[in-house]
Amino acid sequence: MDFFISKAYAAQQPQQSGGFEMLIMLAVFGLIFYFMIYRPQAKRVKEHKNLMSALAKNDEVLTQGGVVGKIVKVSDEKDFIVVAIAEGTEVTVQKAAVTAVLPKGTMKSL
């Protein structure tokens, strides 16, 4: 009957793995987190800050709400811009709400 039952080796000590393997695995997870999550997000934030600082009068922009308009006035100290949506219609929005600067003539083609 020993054929179906494995023998117990109670006297044998289990192999103890060192903490070094755990440190290596933690470092690998840290590198994966850095390269797949942190770096791309930091790059996007840097690009958005550059976009906000480069906003100028007569730029055509798209806001987060989907509003397309032309910048009429840029306020440097308060981080707000005035966007003309249509003739005679102006909206004040935060610079951070600008998603993209559109090519010149985009509003006329819409």
Side-chain angles (χ1 to χ4, degrees):
M1 269 331 239
D2 285 341
F3 183 70
F4 293 111
I5 302 172
S6 63
K7 295 181 181 182
Y9 295 99
Q12 185 179 0
Q13 294 282 333
Q15 287 283 25
Q16 297 220 357
S17 62
F20 189 67
E21 289 87 10
M22 184 64 87
L23 287 176
I24 290 174
M25 190 167 37
L26 241 131
V28 168
F29 281 128
L31 287 173
I32 290 171
F33 177 79
Y34 176 75
F35 283 108
M36 295 192 72
I37 297 173
Y38 180 74
R39 271 188 75 202
Q41 183 63 27
K43 184 179 177 183
R44 272 186 237 118
V45 167
K46 184 178 177 182
E47 288 174 357
H48 192 257
K49 282 185 180 181
N50 290 338
L51 174 100
M52 288 190 313
S53 65
L55 291 176
K57 187 176 179 180
N58 293 328
D59 283 346
E60 294 180 6
V61 294
L62 172 69
T63 65
Q64 288 177 351
V67 176
V68 175
K70 184 181 278 191
I71 297 177
V72 177
K73 180 182 170 189
V74 179
S75 173
D76 290 329
E77 64 268 354
K78 294 187 180 180
D79 291 332
F80 286 95
I81 57 174
V82 177
V83 178
I85 299 170
E87 203 163 319
T89 307
E90 295 178 349
V91 178
T92 303
V93 296
Q94 287 183 326
K95 284 183 180 180
V98 174
T99 304
V101 176
L102 303 173
K104 301 278 186 201
T106 302
M107 286 184 61
K108 289 182 181 180
S109 66
L110 295 177

